[in-house]
Amino acid sequence: MIAEIEALASAALSRIAAAANLDEMEAVRVEVLGRKGTLAEFGKLMGKLSASERVDAGKALNGAKTSLEAAFDIKKTAFESAALNERLQSEWLDLTIPPPGLTPGSLHPLTQIQNEIESLFFSMGFTILDGPEVETEFHNFDALNIPADHPARDMQDTFWLEGGHLLRTHTSPVQVRGMMRLGPPLRMIAPGRVFRNEEVDPSHEHTFYQLEGMMVDRDVSIANLLYFMKTLLSGIFKRDTTVRLRPGFFPFVEPGFELDIECMVCGGAGCPVCKQSGWVELLPCGLVHPNVLRAGGIDPAEFGGFAFGLGLTRLVMMRYLIDDIRWLQSGDLRFLKQF
Ligand code: DAH
């Protein structure tokens, strides 16, 4: 019987060694080591042996069991780690590969033009300021020399909020905040969103963008204003531009001007774009009114300044010949992808 057990064990060992996968090996284990397996059958026969034979056969049986179980465990571990390695190989991901088919976004044309103008003025020593979109009546109107009964308030249809607050109708209130915060001498620009209670059509929006500029110093003159405006325009249009000043009224400047540029389409000869005049209205500007300097805590006897209000939205429309202002805030990707 001992010989039979040893023969069975060595046959099973070589079958385990030859097994190609866990299933094959499991079949051998059930057949030999299982509760109804061959070794168990030998166990049942033990009762028929003499006491001394039983001791030896028992040892052989236990020895066979132990060595088979050990062989089985070792091979099982080997199979499992091979399976794990295979999975690690086949499921390996390179997380650094960029996903296919994604196109990078781009900056909104308004942001692009704003960035350009900011770096231009930054290089000339101007500070870039931000102001709140919800403003006080004081900053938006009173401090800009537009008292409550002034007809100029009617020029800007205002979204009124509670408690004397409003959505700012222009970026000019940032002039006041700039004067108060920084004091003279002062060079600042303030780009931002402004709001008017307007009927929306191809050339009117309730929300649009302006860029305010202000310089306060001793002996600031219209020559300074013109110099900075010409620098601004050649920066934007990438060429020398001819400009002219026409009188214009804004309560916060005196004198106030409308700055026109020579029409770039016809070079001043007259065409439909400039309505045959040869000139295109570009931005309002002027020398800061003494009342505004005073409201900003600056003594007009000592300091003077110029200010301008650039319509960023309008400028973008001119640059890219966009004929409907509503495109700019539409969020329409067909429009945005062109920039
Ligand atoms: N704040 C004015 C507006 O939105 C524009 C403006 C005019 C700004 C003249 C200025 C200026 O700084 O000097 O209608």
Side-chain angles (χ1 to χ4, degrees), residues 41-338:
E41 293 300 319
F42 278 112
K44 283 184 203 158
L45 296 175
M46 298 279 268
K48 294 178 182 156
L49 299 177
S50 71
S52 67
E53 280 174 326
R54 201 181 303 152
V55 173
D56 291 339
K59 275 185 190 159
L61 201 57
N62 280 337
K65 220 176 184 168
T66 317
S67 63
L68 283 175
E69 273 167 357
F72 180 79
D73 282 348
I74 290 169
K75 184 108 188 205
K76 186 178 172 193
T77 311
F79 275 137
E80 281 169 354
S81 69
L84 182 64
N85 275 335
E86 200 180 294
R87 258 188 72 190
L88 287 175
Q89 283 300 319
S90 66
E91 294 176 11
W92 183 81
L93 284 181
D94 182 353
L95 297 178
T96 66
I97 293 177
L102 279 186
T103 41
S106 57
L107 292 178
H108 193 284
L110 269 164
T111 312
Q112 288 182 29
I113 215 161
Q114 180 182 325
N115 288 349
E116 283 173 38
I117 298 175
E118 280 183 8
S119 57
L120 193 78
F121 275 100
F122 188 75
S123 75
M124 298 191 289
F126 281 67
T127 306
I128 297 154
L129 290 183
D130 216 1
E133 291 176 349
V134 172
E135 259 299 3
T136 64
E137 192 175 349
F138 171 76
H139 289 93
N140 196 84
F141 290 127
D142 300 273
L144 290 167
N145 201 29
I146 317 174
D149 55 358
H150 199 288
R153 286 210 184 185
D154 299 339
M155 280 158 56
Q156 301 183 351
D157 301 304
T158 308
F159 286 111
W160 288 96
L161 307 173
E162 283 162 15
H165 287 82
L166 46 82
L167 293 183
R168 65 175 177 194
T169 56
H170 49 182
T171 44
S172 303
V174 193
Q175 288 185 17
V176 182
R177 293 180 176 277
M179 287 187 286
M180 287 175 158
R181 211 171 95 193
L182 303 172
L186 166 74
R187 295 179 184 197
M188 54 149 279
I189 57 167
R193 209 152 57 135
V194 303
F195 310 87
R196 303 229 180 135
N197 194 351
E198 302 242 25
E199 205 74 61
V200 174
D201 67 29
S203 47
H204 295 91
E205 256 284 21
H206 47 68
T207 304
F208 52 99
Y209 289 76
Q210 292 186 337
L211 185 138
E212 194 76 13
M214 181 184 231
M215 176 173 168
V216 176
D217 209 330
R218 295 179 176 87
D219 305 321
V220 172
S221 69
I222 293 171
N224 299 122
L225 169 63
L226 271 176
Y227 168 78
F228 281 102
M229 293 306 95
K230 289 195 77 161
T231 310
L232 164 67
L233 297 176
S234 53
I236 295 171
F237 295 111
K238 313 277 184 256
R239 58 165 129 159
D240 258 353
T241 44
T242 311
V243 303
R244 74 173 184 190
L245 293 179
R246 275 183 297 120
F249 176 74
F250 304 93
F252 29 92
V253 280
E254 178 58 39
F257 306 105
E258 289 286 356
L259 184 141
D260 297 339
I261 53 170
E262 198 174 67
C263 179
M264 295 192 183
V265 177
C266 62
C271 71
V273 170
C274 59
K275 301 195 187 85
Q276 308 304 329
S277 73
W279 296 93
V280 177
E281 190 176 309
L282 193 73
L283 61 87
C285 54
L287 295 185
V288 183
H289 195 288
N291 287 349
V292 176
L293 290 169
R294 253 180 239 118
I298 295 176
D299 180 5
E302 191 182 354
F303 288 96
F306 69 74
F308 62 92
L310 187 62
L312 275 187
T313 304
R314 192 173 131 74
L315 197 61
V316 169
M317 292 175 71
M318 278 175 65
R319 184 196 241 185
Y320 296 108
L321 302 175
I322 298 165
D323 58 5
D324 192 327
I325 193 173
R326 292 170 293 188
W327 280 115
L328 291 161
Q329 298 219 99
S330 65
D332 192 321
L333 289 178
R334 293 168 303 176
F335 169 74
L336 292 171
K337 271 182 182 157
Q338 301 173 56

